[in-house]
Amino acid sequence: MQLDLQHIEKHFGPKHVLRDVCFTARSGAAFGLLGRNGAGKTTTLRILMNVFPADSGALTLDGRPLEPGAVRFGYLPEERGLYPKKKILDQLCYFAQLHGLSRREAVESTDRWLDRLGMAEYRNKRLDTLSKGNQQKIQLITALAHDPDIVILDEPFSGLDPVNAQLLKDVVMEEIHRGKLVLFSSHQMNYIEEFCTAIAILNGGRVVLAGDLKDIKRSYPRTRLVLRSPQAQALLAAYPDRCAPAGDDRVFFTLREPGEKQAVMAELSTRFDLDQLQVFEPSLNDIFVEYAQEQEADQ
């Protein structure tokens, strides 16, 4: 599947919330939709799921208009939307049936997912008897039990300890490998960087950066090296005009131009004891901070 958002516009009264939003996401991969609070992420996702329409623009799936009911969506919201006093099995089956499963199919799928997430012992418990992390796993089951084609995960790792975070990572990777189209929205850049092959950054209702994450990183000038060495101080002293400390025995070395990279790397590795020597690439966090600086949308 290829999902395209093309020139999406949205107003709420006089407020211009989305402006010419365009990006492409594909199945069998994870796509990161990023932005600060108020940038337009939630509005974009709600338009995609047909909660409300765009004012203009088009949503297409494999080149054809995306019709309501044409694909199954699974949505894990940032804020939990389950019933705290209801039995877990009953409400999970209820949500699965809303997505088209029969009662028997809903029970089978729910039990399978409860077992997969180590939650089978809680099937007849009330939701409010569970810890925050376990409630998040139950919420995840509502997004996956009906076998959706497109999975939307909004801050999915919120409240999870490292063990449960790893379990969720495994589940997400399984869904990606099954050919699902997975959309992430998160402020935890390490998870986006780990899962997503492509991203779009929203700022002030606009897409200010979109594309393959590796290509975006490689588009930055490759004129900076990062070195790790027990001789970091000697490096700084030998090249005071070209080096800067980076902490933890690391040093940034600035090339005069990309073409001297190989010669400089050979010189440095000959003169100094180096544990690390590579071209510096910005992290996704660096990129996000650069492109998500405060920017006001039109009012």
Side-chain angles (χ1 to χ4, degrees), residues 172-211:
V172 171
M173 290 307 302
E174 289 168 8
E175 294 299 294
I176 291 171
H177 291 151
R178 290 181 63 206
K180 304 300 180 71
L181 194 160
V182 177
L183 277 77
F184 268 95
S185 178
S186 179
H187 292 107
Q188 295 173 286
M189 296 298 134
N190 56 319
Y191 290 126
I192 297 293
E193 199 156 14
E194 182 174 353
F195 285 108
C196 296
T197 58
I199 63 166
I201 297 177
L202 287 169
N203 192 347
R206 294 191 184 95
V207 173
V208 293
L209 181 68

Side-chain angles (χ1 to χ4, degrees), residues 55-178:
D55 296 336
S56 61
L59 285 79
T60 63
L61 188 67
D62 296 333
R64 295 184 294 274
L66 179 60
E67 300 292 343
V71 295
R72 283 179 172 175
F73 285 93
Y75 179 44
L76 174 67
E78 181 177 3
E79 300 295 331
R80 293 179 182 87
L82 299 178
Y83 302 103
K85 304 297 183 183
K86 296 293 184 181
K87 192 165 70 172
I88 287 168
L89 178 66
D90 289 344
Q91 58 181 311
L92 287 177
C93 290
Y94 169 72
F95 283 111
Q97 287 176 272
L98 286 181
H99 286 285
L101 272 63
S102 68
R103 174 68 183 181
R104 180 182 58 81
E105 291 170 333
V107 171
E108 289 176 355
S109 181
T110 294
D111 278 336
R112 185 167 61 251
W113 276 108
L114 286 169
D115 185 63
R116 175 67 182 89
L117 295 177
M119 300 292 291
E121 64 185 286
Y122 301 109
R123 74 193 297 268
N124 293 313
K125 301 286 188 181
R126 289 188 345 189
L127 187 72
D128 61 3
T129 65
L130 273 58
S131 67
K132 183 178 179 181
N134 282 339
Q135 288 184 32
Q136 181 76 341
K137 291 197 285 184
I138 296 300
Q139 185 81 62
L140 176 65
I141 294 174
T142 68
L144 299 177
H146 57 288
D147 195 25
D149 306 294
I150 299 175
V151 180
I152 299 174
L153 304 173
D154 194 352
E155 297 294 351
F157 295 96
S158 175
L160 296 182
D161 60 45
V163 173
N164 281 324
Q166 183 59 54
L167 177 60
L168 179 54
K169 288 181 187 180
D170 294 341
V171 168
V172 171
M173 290 307 302
E174 289 168 8
E175 294 299 294
I176 291 171
H177 291 151
R178 290 181 63 206

